[in-house]
Amino acid sequence: EPEVTQTPSHQVTQMGQEVILRCVPISNHLYFYWYRQILGQKVEFLVSFYNNEISEKSEIFDDQFSVERPDGSNFTLKIRSTKLEDSAMYFCASTGLAYFNEQFFGPGTRLTVL
Amino acid sequence: ILNVEQSPQSLHVQEGDSTNFTCSFPSSNFYALHWYRWETAKSPEALFVMTLNGDEKKKGRISATLNTKEGYSYLYIKGSQPEDSATYLCAFMGSGGYQKVTFGIGTKLQVIP
C-alpha cells in the first residue's frame, strides 16, 4: 500500500542552524501539507502546496520557512535559522484529486533545537 | 483565530462499553471536517471526511455525524475494544482559506480490558 515517507525520523540541531526536512508523498497525489506538533499542543497547520506553489500558509509560516518540490517526488521543508521554539514533531501529508479528501500522513520528523 | 474544540480531552472506558466524543467548530464558512485516529508512535490515519450537513458515516463499529448549522460533529464507538485506544483528532476546513486545516487538541481514548 502506498505511503508517505519522511526523513530523518529525528534531527538534532543547534539554534541558528538551517535544517531541511524531507518527505516523499504518495506518487499520484496533488496536494501537499506540512504540519507541526509541539509537545502537548495541537497539531498546527504550516503550509499547503499545489501545482508547484504555496496555496495557503499559516501565521507560523514566516520568512524563516520555505517549501520546495524540487524533483516531482520529494517535498521539503526548510527552516533557515532554527530557534528553540521550533522544536516539535513535523508531519508531512498528501492528498489526491480533491484537496478536501482524506490526508495521508507520514511518520513525522522529530526536530530538537538545542 | 479559528477555534476547533474537542471534548473530553481524555476518556477511559471499559472494554465493551460504547462511547462518544465531540468536535465543535465555527458554523460559518464550513467546507469539510475530517476525523483521524492516531495511535501512539504511528501517523494519524483518516477515518472520515464529512462535507454535508446531516452526514452520517460508518466504518465498522465507528460512526460519525455532522451538524454544520450548529457547528459540531460526534464520533461514536460501539462496543469499544482495547485496539480502539488512540487519540481521535478532528480537523476543520473552512471555505475561506480552504486548504488551511485547523485541528482540535484530540480526545485520548483508553479502553481498559
Side-chain angles (χ1 to χ4, degrees):
Chain A
E1 191 176 318
E3 58 182 21
V4 177
T5 59
Q6 287 185 246
T7 53
S9 55
H10 191 189
Q11 173 97 45
V12 180
T13 191
Q14 294 288 328
M15 191 169 61
Q17 295 296 304
E18 175 182 286
V19 294
I20 297 176
L21 310 184
R22 290 185 165 80
C23 169
V24 179
I26 294 172
S27 63
N28 61 349
H29 280 188
L30 301 177
Y31 300 86
F32 312 109
Y33 303 82
W34 282 103
Y35 298 93
R36 76 174 187 191
Q37 189 190 33
I38 296 169
L39 195 62
Q41 297 186 23
K42 290 184 180 184
V43 173
E44 298 173 295
F45 169 85
L46 292 177
V47 68
S48 60
F49 192 85
Y50 170 71
N51 203 24
N52 280 320
E53 59 183 23
I54 290 173
S55 43
E56 297 283 353
K57 59 182 182 177
S58 71
E59 304 75 23
I60 303 164
F61 195 88
D62 61 22
D63 291 344
Q64 66 159 158
F65 291 94
S66 61
V67 288
E68 230 183 6
R69 189 155 156 81
D71 56 13
S73 61
N74 290 287
F75 179 49
T76 61
L77 175 70
K78 183 192 288 187
I79 310 175
R80 248 179 284 284
S81 175
T82 48
K83 303 174 194 159
L84 295 176
E85 54 265 35
D86 294 328
S87 295
M89 193 75 165
Y90 287 80
F91 291 98
C92 168
S94 69
T95 194
L97 293 174
Y99 60 84
F100 54 82
N101 281 352
E102 61 181 333
Q103 295 188 14
F104 292 80
F105 282 77
T109 293
R110 179 162 296 287
L111 177 65
T112 303
V113 182
L114 302 174
Chain B
I1 297 176
L2 281 177
N3 224 7
V4 177
E5 301 290 341
Q6 289 189 249
S7 63
Q9 288 191 21
S10 72
L11 191 53
H12 291 77
V13 300
Q14 291 290 330
E15 182 175 353
D17 285 353
S18 294
T19 187
N20 65 85
F21 21 95
T22 307
C23 172
S24 59
F25 51 83
S27 55
S28 57
N29 299 319
F30 175 87
Y31 207 93
L33 189 89
H34 294 184
W35 280 100
Y36 291 91
R37 181 169 176 277
W38 193 4
E39 289 180 73
T40 305
K42 294 189 178 179
S43 319
E45 180 191 338
L47 287 172
F48 303 114
V49 175
M50 309 185 82
T51 54
L52 296 174
N53 185 42
D55 252 357
E56 287 190 33
K57 300 240 172 155
K58 192 167 186 238
K59 190 182 275 193
R61 293 178 293 98
I62 306 177
S63 60
T65 61
L66 179 69
N67 183 325
T68 60
K69 293 190 190 314
E70 295 180 40
Y72 64 83
S73 176
Y74 292 139
L75 190 81
Y76 301 90
I77 303 179
K78 189 175 172 183
S80 304
Q81 298 297 308
E83 58 265 28
D84 296 328
S85 298
T87 296
Y88 292 83
L89 295 173
C90 69
F92 170 82
M93 281 184 153
S95 54
Y98 53 87
Q99 286 185 42
K100 188 179 286 189
V101 183
T102 305
F103 280 83
I105 190 78
T107 292
K108 187 170 183 177
L109 175 67
Q110 183 82 32
V111 181
I112 303 159

